[in-house]
């Protein structure tokens, strides 16, 4: 994925920080770890935002950069869930969602473009988040 304004990486990072804080405060289990696959003009700002929000790089959140397509699928297999946080309304079908579904991973995605044509919220394959916001993404 691209770390660019239309992909709203800051929204994901804020949601990750909120979820991480919730786990630390209310759960006896280890907080989740987060992985950001991709690169782009907002990479440095995204890493700094994560630090500013209390996430430790390479521990709580991992920015692994751009990966070739064959490596992306392998990386997805190591995840429990895939969050696709693009808010581009004209997104046709969002390749990241399809890659995650092909690897049998549940997808959490905004219902932009054609996403709601193949992803049904509440089934075993994923959740559609209607409102692009931190509370909606965390819920």
């Amino acid at each position: 994925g691209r770390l660019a304004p239309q992909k709203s990486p800051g929204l994901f990072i804020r949601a990750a920080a909120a979820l991480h804080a919730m786990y630390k405060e209310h759960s006896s289990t280890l907080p989740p770890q987060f992985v950001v696959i991709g690169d782009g003009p907002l990479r440095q700002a995204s890493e700094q935002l994560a630090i500013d929000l209390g996430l430790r790089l390479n521990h709580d959140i991992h920015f692994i950069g751009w990966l070739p397509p064959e490596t992306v699928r392998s990386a997805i297999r190591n995840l429990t869930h895939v969050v696709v946080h693009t808010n581009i309304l004209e997104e046709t079908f969002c390749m990241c969602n399809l890659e995650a579904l092909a690897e049998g991973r549940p997808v959490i995605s905004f219902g932009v473009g054609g996403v709601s044509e193949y992803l049904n919220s509440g089934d075993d394959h994923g959740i559609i988040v209607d409102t692009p916001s931190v509370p909606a993404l965390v819920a």
Side-chain angles (χ1 to χ4, degrees), residues 11-28:
L11 181 62
F12 171 73
I13 293 164
R14 284 180 177 84
L19 194 58
H20 187 268
M22 284 173 33
Y23 264 82
K24 284 180 77 172
E25 186 176 331
H26 300 291
S27 178
S28 59

Side-chain angles (χ1 to χ4, degrees), residues 30-41:
L30 292 172
Q33 292 187 8
F34 303 93
V35 176
V36 178
I37 300 173
D39 214 339

Side-chain angles (χ1 to χ4, degrees), residues 14-62:
R14 284 180 177 84
L19 194 58
H20 187 268
M22 284 173 33
Y23 264 82
K24 284 180 77 172
E25 186 176 331
H26 300 291
S27 178
S28 59
T29 63
L30 292 172
Q33 292 187 8
F34 303 93
V35 176
V36 178
I37 300 173
D39 214 339
L42 294 181
R43 167 113 185 228
Q44 186 174 7
S46 297
E47 290 175 343
Q48 187 59 53
L49 176 62
I51 292 168
D52 293 347
L53 294 173
L55 295 172
R56 296 169 294 170
L57 297 183
N58 302 316
H59 187 272
D60 302 321
I61 189 165
H62 306 268

Side-chain angles (χ1 to χ4, degrees), residues 78-91:
N78 292 317
L79 303 173
T80 57
H81 292 79
V82 175
V83 178
V84 180
H85 45 83
T86 183
N87 60 9
I88 303 172
L89 295 177
E90 61 273 1
E91 187 83 61

Side-chain angles (χ1 to χ4, degrees), residues 35 37 64 67-80 82 99-100 102-105:
V35 176
I37 300 173
I64 59 175
L67 296 174
E70 62 276 6
T71 308
V72 168
R73 292 185 72 164
S74 174
I76 288 171
R77 280 193 289 274
N78 292 317
L79 303 173
T80 57
V82 175
E99 290 169 331
E103 295 304 323
R105 296 299 177 254

